[in-house]
Amino acid sequence: MSQMSNRCYRLRRRPTGAVADEDLELLREPIPRIGPGQALIRTLWLSLDPANRIWMSEIHYNMPPVPIGGIMRGFGIGQVVESLRDDMKAGDLVSGITGWADYAVADATNLVPFSVLPSPLPGPPTLLLGPLGHTGVTAYLGVQDIGRPQPGETMVVSAAAGAVGSVAGQIGKARGARVVGTAGSREKCRHVVEALGFDACVNYRDTDWREQLDAATPDGIDVDFENVGGQILDHVVTRLNVGARIALCGLISDYNGYSSPGGRQQARVGVEQIYLSRALLRSFLVLDHTDRFPEAIAYLAGLIDEGKLEYDETVVEGLENAPIALGQMFEGANTGKLLVKVAEPL
Ligand SMILES: NC(=O)c1ccc[n+]([C@@H]2O[C@H](COP(=O)([O-])OP(=O)(O)OC[C@H]3O[C@@H](n4cnc5c(N)ncnc54)[C@H](OP(=O)(O)O)[C@@H]3O)[C@@H](O)[C@H]2O)c1
């Protein structure tokens, strides 16, 4: 075993605003000992997700809040070190809720069961946290089930340079739509157009971004793949065409305001605009659709094979840097999937 202790982040207090140093504590604890029906998992990669911030609040999102004193929740990829389970053996790569820790225990109490990754892998393991994992499947469900852009229609994607948005926009392109992104810098916008193939991308930090978005969507908006909410969604709904669809994937601009259930900001969706455009607005959660993962991953792998799906990763080295990296995600530091590299496989 490469380490004699288990470094883990425990939630010390619930954040108010952006995640602060004092919210999490890095401890060194004994490596868990396993019993019958359990396997010891060594974390290799952590996926940083906006949902991490929600799980730190008191809000019950898709899972109960992380308890104060509990190990910070997070999806990841790990390697089985020792197993007393029939379905896992030492050396297997697995995905699941590793948590922000060097080691985790895979057993029947896991909120999401660990699953053994296919061997051989379809590519680098991080693909299975990005476009061929929950990130890609989220984009797939939002576009294919809710947005359903048709050739000639206009689709807008917010946080277009991010993990989900970049995939969603490219699925929209593969379906023949005109796809317009929004992102938080000129460099990101250039990347979204030149490398990811969007038709246009608007930097929402420009003072005239609304005029730019209007100019980029001259025929109005038929589909909104919404990752951000706030002022972006407020403006997008003013341009909806009759029969538009909004795939409400996330509202990241609000999450740093999440503390207690009564304390969060209200999403300022223009209900009147949605009414007037006879639009469909539907939210969804990828973990409600685990049965759809094989179908989605087959589709996404096909797009990669056809050269129609480019993806980016921003890798942060070291478990100790996970809190800073999560905070920086809310400032737009990442392009594509944000990952923490925790350890090399044995
Ligand atoms: N429904 C589901 O099942 C599901 C699953 C996964 C993710 N999601 C949601 O999908 C969205 C994207 O998640 P992701 O994992 O792909 O993250 P991501 O887009 O890779 O990273 C988040 C990005 O959001 C942008 N952002 C952060 N704060 C912002 C703000 N106040 N205003 C505007 N943009 C802001 C930043 O890019 P800029 O530089 O462009 O600002 C940042 O890079 C999130 O809302 C998340 O909650 C939903």
Side-chain angles (χ1 to χ4, degrees), residues 30 36 41 64 73 82 103 128 141 143 167 175 194 204 311 327 332 336:
I41 310 296
R73 183 181 298 141
E82 191 186 347
Y103 293 93
L128 289 107
L141 293 172
V143 180
V167 178
R175 291 179 60 109
E194 291 177 3
Y204 69 85
Y311 56 93

Side-chain angles (χ1 to χ4, degrees), residues 48-51 54 61 134-135 138 159-165 182-185 188 204-205 225-228 231-232 248-255 284-287 328-338:
L48 291 190
D49 296 279
I54 305 180
Y61 176 40
H134 63 280
T135 302
T138 301
V164 173
T182 62
S185 73
K188 281 191 179 182
Y204 69 85
R205 294 187 203 271
F225 191 102
E226 190 54 54
N227 287 317
V228 170
Q231 58 173 355
I232 294 179
L248 185 50
C249 178
L251 294 169
I252 193 170
S253 67
D254 281 347
Y255 299 166
F284 66 103
L285 179 65
V286 65
L287 293 178
Q328 288 175 342
M329 174 184 246
F330 286 80
E331 291 159 16
N334 62 304
T335 297
K337 182 72 204 164
L338 181 57

Side-chain angles (χ1 to χ4, degrees), residues 1-8 29-32 40-43 71 79 81 98-105 114 319 342 346:
M1 211 165 283
S2 65
Q3 281 167 232
M4 302 310 291
S5 63
N6 181 26
R7 292 174 306 158
C8 59
E29 298 183 354
I31 296 169
L40 182 65
I41 310 296
R42 181 165 170 267
T43 307
I71 290 181
Q79 189 171 35
V81 179
T98 55
W100 288 19
D102 286 317
Y103 293 93
V105 174
F114 277 89
L319 177 66
V342 179
L346 294 175

Side-chain angles (χ1 to χ4, degrees), residues 9 24 46 48 100 316-327 340:
Y9 271 107
L24 291 153
L46 267 184
L48 291 190
W100 288 19
V316 172
E317 295 281 340
L319 177 66
E320 64 280 7
N321 292 317
I324 293 171
L326 179 63
V340 177

Side-chain angles (χ1 to χ4, degrees), residues 4-329:
M4 302 310 291
S5 63
N6 181 26
R7 292 174 306 158
C8 59
Y9 271 107
R10 290 190 179 271
L11 185 64
R12 190 193 276 170
R13 65 175 195 191
R14 303 205 182 277
T16 50
V19 176
D21 287 351
E22 299 76 27
D23 298 334
L24 291 153
E25 186 173 15
L26 183 60
L27 299 167
R28 283 187 181 273
E29 298 183 354
I31 296 169
R33 299 169 76 95
I34 57 164
Q38 295 185 318
L40 182 65
I41 310 296
R42 181 165 170 267
T43 307
L44 304 180
W45 292 94
L46 267 184
S47 165
L48 291 190
D49 296 279
N52 293 134
R53 173 62 183 80
I54 305 180
W55 292 330
M56 295 171 84
S57 77
E58 277 177 19
I59 293 164
H60 187 119
Y61 176 40
N62 48 342
M63 297 178 205
V66 176
I68 298 295
I71 290 181
M72 179 58 199
R73 183 181 298 141
F75 283 99
I77 284 178
Q79 189 171 35
V80 178
V81 179
E82 191 186 347
S83 177
L84 295 173
R85 290 170 57 139
D86 293 337
D87 57 345
M88 284 178 192
K89 60 180 187 316
D92 283 348
L93 292 179
V94 294
S95 65
I97 301 181
T98 55
W100 288 19
D102 286 317
Y103 293 93
V105 174
D107 66 15
T109 68
N110 298 141
L111 288 175
V112 176
F114 277 89
S115 52
V116 178
L117 299 183
S119 177
L121 290 172
T126 53
L127 257 185
L128 289 107
L129 294 173
L132 299 187
H134 63 280
T135 302
V137 177
T138 301
Y140 174 87
L141 293 172
V143 180
Q144 302 289 63
D145 289 5
I146 303 172
R148 305 196 60 74
Q150 304 301 313
E153 287 191 330
T154 299
M155 170 174 165
V156 167
V157 181
S158 51
V164 173
S166 59
V167 178
Q170 291 178 86
I171 299 173
K173 285 301 299 176
R175 291 179 60 109
R178 170 178 171 74
V179 178
V180 177
T182 62
S185 73
R186 195 164 296 172
E187 295 69 35
K188 281 191 179 182
C189 285
R190 192 180 311 121
H191 180 74
V192 163
V193 172
E194 291 177 3
L196 307 182
F198 285 43
D199 295 281
C201 185
V202 171
N203 176 6
Y204 69 85
R205 294 187 203 271
D206 285 348
T207 48
D208 66 343
W209 69 268
R210 291 178 180 81
E211 290 77 10
Q212 291 184 41
L213 190 66
D214 295 354
T217 56
D219 299 327
I221 295 171
D222 302 292
V223 173
D224 175 36
F225 191 102
E226 190 54 54
N227 287 317
V228 170
Q231 58 173 355
I232 294 179
L233 179 56
D234 282 351
H235 188 67
V236 163
V237 295
T238 67
R239 299 195 56 72
L240 293 179
N241 290 328
V242 169
R245 289 82 66 199
I246 301 173
L248 185 50
C249 178
L251 294 169
I252 193 170
S253 67
D254 281 347
Y255 299 166
N256 274 336
Y258 285 13
S259 52
S260 58
R264 60 185 180 266
Q265 296 169 11
Q266 294 296 317
R268 295 160 296 168
V269 175
V271 174
E272 188 179 293
Q273 296 289 346
I274 291 169
Y275 170 68
L276 294 174
S277 56
R278 282 83 95 197
L280 169 85
L281 180 149
R282 201 176 133 198
S283 72
F284 66 103
L285 179 65
V286 65
L287 293 178
D288 291 342
H289 304 280
T290 47
D291 58 320
R292 304 281 303 284
F293 273 56
E295 155 206 336
I297 289 169
Y299 173 85
L300 293 159
L303 284 190
I304 292 175
D305 286 348
E306 291 165 32
K308 292 182 179 167
L309 180 53
E310 298 293 327
Y311 56 93
D312 303 291
E313 293 177 345
T314 300
V315 175
V316 172
E317 295 281 340
L319 177 66
E320 64 280 7
N321 292 317
I324 293 171
L326 179 63
Q328 288 175 342
M329 174 184 246

